[in-house]
């Protein structure tokens, strides 16, 4: 098997292709011949030494794959043998062979390519948890999606449209036409406009019902202040840390310290709420995740779940794929392919 290994903290050159014996499925696992692996921003943070949950280096990251089951372990029936599947992986996804617990494996919708399927689990599950499970977004409410052109951003647009919400999205101007086509009602160029001023104008000074924020840092306070009464702020990242000039944990710590603290009394008096989402800390909730995933897979058949792959890279070019994302050139997901 081939896999991409993070050999040290630093730039894309730290991603190296190495060979290893094919993995064998343990009890309760299935083995997948991977056709496509999704890339997430957490992978980039792990490479830079900014992701506390990452395995110790050298390590293989990757949270989602699509491929074909070619072997099953003890305790697993033969129902998935030979089936095209999509799976959540607790790291190890940057490989052309991987063994995964059967409870994290789902049949791939025939309507999706392997590349599209590999781009679905993390982005759409995160969006579902943010908007539906914890954000309680209702028809007619407003939602502000930061980084609307990213993988989670596009997934959130699909979910918000399905719910009948009014959608505002921040993104660079080059992505606006695509976002409007996808269903955003108002696109805001965060590079040339103070998005908070624009949101205030769009809402007539009332504020937004729900904001989802992957940026962290000082942006979290701006997001909180842009909520209306009864509004909710969903935090799901701290990507602002990658812009810090300080190395590794120092940069992460500085950005984290710049985030606001929310006192219960202040929350009560403002009638607002703040919550956090980290899908990587939900592995113990297999049944819950499977239920959400089934809704999303049904959404593919119903037409409202539309995974968008911006670009694919061969597994061997994982470093170039990371660079492409870090330069914010992607609209939607970037995927590694093995064939």
């Amino acid at each position: 098997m081939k896999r991409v290994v993070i050999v040290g903290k630093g730039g894309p050159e730290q991603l190296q292709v190495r060979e290893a014996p094919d993995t064998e499925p343990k009890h309760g696992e299935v083995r997948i011949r991977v056709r496509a692996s999704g890339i997430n921003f957490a992978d980039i943070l792990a490479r830079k030494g900014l992701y506390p949950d990452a395995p110790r280096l050298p390590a293989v990251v990757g949270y989602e794959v699509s491929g074909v089951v070619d072997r099953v372990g003890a305790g697993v029936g033969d129902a998935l043998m030979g089936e095209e599947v999509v799976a959540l992986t607790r790291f190890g996804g940057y490989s052309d062979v991987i063994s995964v617990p059967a409870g994290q494996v789902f049949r791939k919708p025939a309507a999706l390519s392997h590349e599209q399927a590999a781009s679905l689990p993390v982005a759409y599950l995160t969006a579902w948890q943010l908007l539906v499970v914890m954000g309680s977004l209702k028809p007619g409410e407003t939602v502000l999606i930061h980084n609307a052109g990213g993988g989670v951003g596009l997934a959130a647009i699909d979910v918000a449209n399905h719910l009948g919400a009014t959608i505002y999205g921040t993104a660079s101007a080059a992505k606006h036409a695509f976002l409007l086509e996808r269903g955003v009602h108002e696109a805001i160029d965060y590079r040339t406009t103070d998005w908070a001023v624009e949101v205030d104008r769009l809402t007539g000074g009332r504020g937004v019902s729900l904001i989802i924020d992957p940026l962290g840092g000082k942006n979290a306070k701006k997001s909180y202040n842009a909520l209306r009464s009864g509004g909710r702020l969903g935090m799901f990242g701290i990507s602002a840390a990658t812009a810090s000039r300080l190395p590794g944990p120092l940069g992460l710590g500085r950005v984290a310290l710049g985030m606001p603290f929310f006192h219960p009394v202040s929350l009560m008096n403002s009638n607002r709420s703040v919550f956090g989402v980290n899908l990587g800390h939900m592995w113990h909730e297999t049944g819950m995740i499977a239920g959400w995933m089934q809704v999303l897979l049904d959404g593919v058949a119903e037409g409202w779940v539309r995974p968008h792959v911006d670009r694919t890279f061969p597994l061997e070019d994982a470093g170039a794929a990371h660079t492409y994302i870090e330069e914010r050139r992607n609209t939607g997901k970037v995927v590694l392919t093995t064939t």
Side-chain angles (χ1 to χ4, degrees), residues 178-220:
F178 179 80
L179 293 175
L180 293 170
E181 181 182 330
R182 290 286 292 197
V184 168
H185 297 95
E186 296 285 348
I188 303 169
D189 185 355
Y190 68 93
R191 292 181 175 178
T192 61
T193 304
D194 185 332
W195 65 260
V197 173
E198 186 65 8
V199 164
D200 189 67
R201 182 188 69 82
L202 290 169
T203 63
R206 293 186 302 275
V208 184
S209 306
L210 174 65
I211 299 177
I212 61 170
D213 189 336
L215 305 172
K218 295 179 180 179
N219 198 72

Side-chain angles (χ1 to χ4, degrees), residues 155-309:
I157 292 168
D158 278 354
V159 174
N161 268 316
H162 178 63
L163 296 174
T166 298
I167 307 167
Y168 308 140
T170 65
S172 58
K175 299 180 181 181
H176 285 192
F178 179 80
L179 293 175
L180 293 170
E181 181 182 330
R182 290 286 292 197
V184 168
H185 297 95
E186 296 285 348
I188 303 169
D189 185 355
Y190 68 93
R191 292 181 175 178
T192 61
T193 304
D194 185 332
W195 65 260
V197 173
E198 186 65 8
V199 164
D200 189 67
R201 182 188 69 82
L202 290 169
T203 63
R206 293 186 302 275
V208 184
S209 306
L210 174 65
I211 299 177
I212 61 170
D213 189 336
L215 305 172
K218 295 179 180 179
N219 198 72
K221 185 174 183 179
K222 285 185 67 174
S223 291
Y224 179 76
N225 289 336
L227 294 173
R228 68 180 303 170
S229 295
R232 293 85 68 196
L233 170 60
M235 305 293 300
F236 67 106
I238 189 168
S239 64
T242 60
S244 175
R245 296 182 179 179
L246 295 174
L250 291 177
L252 180 63
R254 182 173 182 179
V255 173
L257 289 173
M259 298 178 71
F261 290 90
F262 301 100
H263 195 279
V265 173
S266 174
L267 292 172
M268 287 188 285
N269 289 339
S270 64
N271 286 290
R272 297 170 180 168
S273 65
V274 179
F275 63 90
V277 165
N278 184 342
L279 193 65
H281 287 189
M282 294 289 287
W283 296 106
H284 61 295
E285 296 287 1
T286 306
M288 184 184 296
I289 295 297
W292 301 348
M293 191 70 176
Q294 192 56 57
V295 172
L296 295 168
L297 293 174
D298 291 343
V300 173
E302 294 163 4
W304 60 269
V305 170
R306 306 167 295 163
H308 177 74
V309 177

